[in-house]
mmCIF file of all heavy atoms in Angstrom:
data_model
loop_
_atom_site.group_PDB
_atom_site.id
_atom_site.type_symbol
_atom_site.label_atom_id
_atom_site.label_comp_id
_atom_site.label_asym_id
_atom_site.label_seq_id
_atom_site.Cartn_x
_atom_site.Cartn_y
_atom_site.Cartn_z
ATOM 1 N N VAL A 222 -11.414 -7.475 12.371
ATOM 2 C CA VAL A 222 -10.836 -8.217 13.578
ATOM 3 C C VAL A 222 -9.591 -9.009 13.327
ATOM 4 O O VAL A 222 -8.691 -8.948 14.044
ATOM 5 C CB VAL A 222 -12.050 -9.063 14.202
ATOM 6 C CG1 VAL A 222 -11.422 -9.997 15.231
ATOM 7 C CG2 VAL A 222 -13.039 -8.107 14.875
ATOM 8 N N GLN A 226 -5.717 -9.094 15.144
ATOM 9 C CA GLN A 226 -5.275 -10.248 15.928
ATOM 10 C C GLN A 226 -3.927 -10.725 15.717
ATOM 11 O O GLN A 226 -3.563 -10.963 14.572
ATOM 12 C CB GLN A 226 -6.357 -11.310 15.881
ATOM 13 C CG GLN A 226 -7.588 -11.116 16.756
ATOM 14 C CD GLN A 226 -8.638 -12.011 16.599
ATOM 15 O OE1 GLN A 226 -8.838 -12.486 15.364
ATOM 16 N NE2 GLN A 226 -9.363 -12.425 17.616
ATOM 17 N N LEU A 229 -0.195 -9.445 20.190
ATOM 18 C CA LEU A 229 -0.385 -8.447 21.217
ATOM 19 C C LEU A 229 -1.800 -8.405 21.887
ATOM 20 O O LEU A 229 -2.767 -8.707 21.191
ATOM 21 C CB LEU A 229 -0.198 -6.993 20.611
ATOM 22 C CG LEU A 229 1.212 -6.772 19.958
ATOM 23 C CD1 LEU A 229 1.226 -5.543 19.027
ATOM 24 C CD2 LEU A 229 2.228 -6.636 21.137
ATOM 25 N N MET A 230 -1.796 -7.965 23.118
ATOM 26 C CA MET A 230 -3.066 -7.678 23.769
ATOM 27 C C MET A 230 -3.635 -6.473 23.115
ATOM 28 O O MET A 230 -2.844 -5.439 22.827
ATOM 29 C CB MET A 230 -2.812 -7.303 25.279
ATOM 30 C CG MET A 230 -3.870 -6.892 26.067
ATOM 31 S SD MET A 230 -5.134 -8.219 26.207
ATOM 32 C CE MET A 230 -4.416 -9.369 27.328
ATOM 33 N N VAL A 231 -4.976 -6.574 22.676
ATOM 34 C CA VAL A 231 -5.511 -5.449 21.954
ATOM 35 C C VAL A 231 -6.588 -4.829 22.910
ATOM 36 O O VAL A 231 -7.432 -5.423 23.400
ATOM 37 C CB VAL A 231 -6.175 -5.885 20.653
ATOM 38 C CG1 VAL A 231 -6.850 -4.689 19.990
ATOM 39 C CG2 VAL A 231 -5.081 -6.406 19.675
ATOM 40 N N THR A 232 -6.583 -3.406 23.009
ATOM 41 C CA THR A 232 -7.477 -2.721 23.680
ATOM 42 C C THR A 232 -8.061 -1.604 22.725
ATOM 43 O O THR A 232 -7.373 -0.885 22.005
ATOM 44 C CB THR A 232 -6.850 -1.924 24.972
ATOM 45 O OG1 THR A 232 -6.430 -2.902 25.844
ATOM 46 C CG2 THR A 232 -7.907 -1.030 25.650
ATOM 47 N N VAL A 233 -9.477 -1.699 22.610
ATOM 48 C CA VAL A 233 -10.122 -0.732 21.781
ATOM 49 C C VAL A 233 -10.749 0.368 22.604
ATOM 50 O O VAL A 233 -11.636 -0.007 23.495
ATOM 51 C CB VAL A 233 -11.083 -1.352 20.855
ATOM 52 C CG1 VAL A 233 -11.816 -0.366 20.028
ATOM 53 C CG2 VAL A 233 -10.431 -2.398 19.923
ATOM 54 N N CYS A 251 -19.711 -3.725 18.873
ATOM 55 C CA CYS A 251 -18.959 -3.978 20.272
ATOM 56 C C CYS A 251 -18.928 -5.476 20.614
ATOM 57 O O CYS A 251 -17.897 -5.984 21.090
ATOM 58 C CB CYS A 251 -19.569 -3.097 21.407
ATOM 59 S SG CYS A 251 -19.256 -1.363 21.141
ATOM 60 N N ARG A 252 -20.018 -6.204 20.334
ATOM 61 C CA ARG A 252 -19.907 -7.639 20.556
ATOM 62 C C ARG A 252 -18.864 -8.370 19.681
ATOM 63 O O ARG A 252 -18.112 -9.180 20.233
ATOM 64 C CB ARG A 252 -21.379 -8.199 20.248
ATOM 65 C CG ARG A 252 -21.396 -9.785 20.754
ATOM 66 C CD ARG A 252 -22.713 -10.434 20.449
ATOM 67 N NE ARG A 252 -23.842 -9.723 21.030
ATOM 68 C CZ ARG A 252 -24.772 -8.974 20.225
ATOM 69 N NH1 ARG A 252 -24.601 -8.890 18.907
ATOM 70 N NH2 ARG A 252 -25.726 -8.378 20.748
ATOM 71 N N THR A 253 -18.801 -7.851 18.558
ATOM 72 C CA THR A 253 -17.788 -8.496 17.556
ATOM 73 C C THR A 253 -16.336 -8.218 18.208
ATOM 74 O O THR A 253 -15.575 -9.191 18.215
ATOM 75 C CB THR A 253 -17.869 -7.917 16.122
ATOM 76 O OG1 THR A 253 -19.103 -8.196 15.671
ATOM 77 C CG2 THR A 253 -16.846 -8.528 15.325
ATOM 78 N N LEU A 254 -16.116 -7.098 18.683
ATOM 79 C CA LEU A 254 -14.844 -6.713 19.166
ATOM 80 C C LEU A 254 -14.506 -7.497 20.466
ATOM 81 O O LEU A 254 -13.457 -8.056 20.838
ATOM 82 C CB LEU A 254 -14.612 -5.267 19.469
ATOM 83 C CG LEU A 254 -14.742 -4.271 18.198
ATOM 84 C CD1 LEU A 254 -14.884 -2.895 18.519
ATOM 85 C CD2 LEU A 254 -13.405 -4.570 17.383
ATOM 86 N N ARG A 255 -15.610 -7.620 21.271
ATOM 87 C CA ARG A 255 -15.421 -8.340 22.640
ATOM 88 C C ARG A 255 -15.144 -9.776 22.388
ATOM 89 O O ARG A 255 -14.320 -10.373 23.113
ATOM 90 C CB ARG A 255 -16.686 -8.087 23.492
ATOM 91 C CG ARG A 255 -16.514 -6.957 24.484
ATOM 92 C CD ARG A 255 -17.676 -6.929 25.441
ATOM 93 N NE ARG A 255 -18.987 -6.922 24.907
ATOM 94 C CZ ARG A 255 -19.892 -7.892 24.845
ATOM 95 N NH1 ARG A 255 -19.795 -8.979 25.477
ATOM 96 N NH2 ARG A 255 -21.037 -7.597 24.265
ATOM 97 N N GLN A 256 -15.868 -10.285 21.454
ATOM 98 C CA GLN A 256 -15.799 -11.827 21.251
ATOM 99 C C GLN A 256 -14.448 -12.129 20.564
ATOM 100 O O GLN A 256 -14.027 -13.247 20.682
ATOM 101 C CB GLN A 256 -16.986 -12.264 20.411
ATOM 102 C CG GLN A 256 -18.206 -12.314 21.251
ATOM 103 C CD GLN A 256 -19.512 -12.736 20.451
ATOM 104 O OE1 GLN A 256 -19.495 -12.793 19.217
ATOM 105 N NE2 GLN A 256 -20.621 -13.126 21.241
ATOM 106 N N ALA A 257 -13.816 -11.052 19.970
ATOM 107 C CA ALA A 257 -12.467 -11.351 19.515
ATOM 108 C C ALA A 257 -11.377 -11.314 20.567
ATOM 109 O O ALA A 257 -10.231 -11.587 20.342
ATOM 110 C CB ALA A 257 -12.130 -10.181 18.457
ATOM 111 N N GLY A 258 -11.897 -11.014 21.826
ATOM 112 C CA GLY A 258 -10.992 -10.937 22.937
ATOM 113 C C GLY A 258 -10.320 -9.700 23.197
ATOM 114 O O GLY A 258 -9.426 -9.589 24.010
ATOM 115 N N PHE A 259 -10.789 -8.541 22.627
ATOM 116 C CA PHE A 259 -10.277 -7.280 22.798
ATOM 117 C C PHE A 259 -10.902 -6.620 24.058
ATOM 118 O O PHE A 259 -12.125 -6.965 24.326
ATOM 119 C CB PHE A 259 -10.549 -6.341 21.642
ATOM 120 C CG PHE A 259 -10.053 -6.794 20.305
ATOM 121 C CD1 PHE A 259 -10.530 -6.282 19.126
ATOM 122 C CD2 PHE A 259 -9.110 -7.815 20.260
ATOM 123 C CE1 PHE A 259 -10.077 -6.762 17.902
ATOM 124 C CE2 PHE A 259 -8.535 -8.279 19.032
ATOM 125 C CZ PHE A 259 -9.087 -7.714 17.821
ATOM 126 N N VAL A 260 -10.155 -5.887 24.807
ATOM 127 C CA VAL A 260 -10.605 -5.236 25.978
ATOM 128 C C VAL A 260 -11.236 -3.869 25.463
ATOM 129 O O VAL A 260 -10.646 -3.153 24.612
ATOM 130 C CB VAL A 260 -9.562 -4.856 27.005
ATOM 131 C CG1 VAL A 260 -9.939 -3.930 28.112
ATOM 132 C CG2 VAL A 260 -8.970 -6.217 27.528
ATOM 133 N N LEU A 261 -12.524 -3.558 25.915
ATOM 134 C CA LEU A 261 -13.083 -2.311 25.437
ATOM 135 C C LEU A 261 -13.261 -1.347 26.514
ATOM 136 O O LEU A 261 -13.803 -1.624 27.607
ATOM 137 C CB LEU A 261 -14.577 -2.722 24.825
ATOM 138 C CG LEU A 261 -14.671 -3.557 23.669
ATOM 139 C CD1 LEU A 261 -16.068 -3.633 23.127
ATOM 140 C CD2 LEU A 261 -13.647 -3.304 22.647
#
Side-chain angles (χ1 to χ4, degrees):
V222 162
Q226 273 171 326
L229 298 166
M230 178 62 72
V231 175
T232 295
V233 177
C251 291
R252 187 183 304 106
T253 302
L254 294 169
R255 266 190 300 111
Q256 288 178 344
F259 302 163
V260 171
L261 300 192

